[in-house]
């Protein structure tokens, strides 16, 4: 392999490593969001949602770069590179790069499972919060309606 290919492979591994770090940050943020949802802390929920959007944008930038590198390394189009998984990419890499990518793939898989679970919990907590607000509004409406009917 030539020097340019080696640096490209190093960049690819660095990108995947950065994606794993971003996913870990996203997981930590999602767990903090759970606490905000439990406490019905609307400003903190909004701030966490904004932070998640920023992390997702950065993750998307890394993914676009990973796809471009994959396309360049394999001599395929970016749309074809988009369908190549990291495990499939390992078949085209030297062993030392494949070993590192395999460890990162395992780490990413575990992080995604944890993130999926945390997001499922957050959806339930958000639904609980919405239902609580609806019940409170319904109580207030009924109370006001009762007061109006009594006054009439």
């Amino acid at each position: 392999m030539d020097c340019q290919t080696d640096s490209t492979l190093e960049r690819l591994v660095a990108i995947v490593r950065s994606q794993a770090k971003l996913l870990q940050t996203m997981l930590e943020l999602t767990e903090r969001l759970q606490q905000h949802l439990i406490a019905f802390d609307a400003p903190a929920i909004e701030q966490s949602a904004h932070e998640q959007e920023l992390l997702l944008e950065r993750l998307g930038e890394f993914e676009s770069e990973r796809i471009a590198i994959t396309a360049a390394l394999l001599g395929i189009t970016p749309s074809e590179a988009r369908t190549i998984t990291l495990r499939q990419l390992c078949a085209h890499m030297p062993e030392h790069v494949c070993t590192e990518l395999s460890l990162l793939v395992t780490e990413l898989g575990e992080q995604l499972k944890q993130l999926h679970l945390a997001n499922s919990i957050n959806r339930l907590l958000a639904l609980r919060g919405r239902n609580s607000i609806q019940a409170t509004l319904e109580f207030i409406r009924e109370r006001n309606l009762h007061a109006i009917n009594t006054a009439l």
Side-chain angles (χ1 to χ4, degrees), residues 129-140:
R130 187 191 75 175
N131 289 342
S132 176
I133 290 169
Q134 285 177 337
T136 302
L137 289 173
E138 203 171 295
F139 173 77
I140 290 170

Side-chain angles (χ1 to χ4, degrees), residues 22 25-26 29 46-62:
L22 276 177
T25 303
M26 179 74 81
L29 179 61
E46 188 174 331
Q47 177 61 32
S48 293
H50 177 70
E51 289 177 37
Q52 281 183 328
E53 288 174 11
L54 295 175
L55 286 173
L56 285 172
E57 284 177 22
R58 187 69 182 129
L59 197 59
E61 291 168 6
F62 280 134

Side-chain angles (χ1 to χ4, degrees), residues 9 11-12 17 52 55-57 75 82 85 111 118:
L9 290 175
R11 179 67 187 142
L12 177 67
R17 193 177 302 117
Q52 281 183 328
L55 286 173
L56 285 172
E57 284 177 22
R82 197 175 310 279
T85 67
Q111 288 171 329

Side-chain angles (χ1 to χ4, degrees), residues 1-43:
M1 272 200 185
D2 63 11
C3 188
Q4 184 177 2
T5 303
D6 285 345
S7 67
T8 304
L9 290 175
E10 288 173 18
R11 179 67 187 142
L12 177 67
V13 171
I15 288 169
V16 176
R17 193 177 302 117
S18 294
Q19 287 179 311
K21 287 178 185 174
L22 276 177
L23 275 178
Q24 183 59 41
T25 303
M26 179 74 81
L27 182 58
E28 292 164 6
L29 179 61
T30 302
E31 290 168 350
R32 272 197 328 263
L33 180 59
Q34 284 178 5
Q35 299 308 311
H36 301 316
L37 286 165
I38 290 168
F40 294 115
D41 186 350

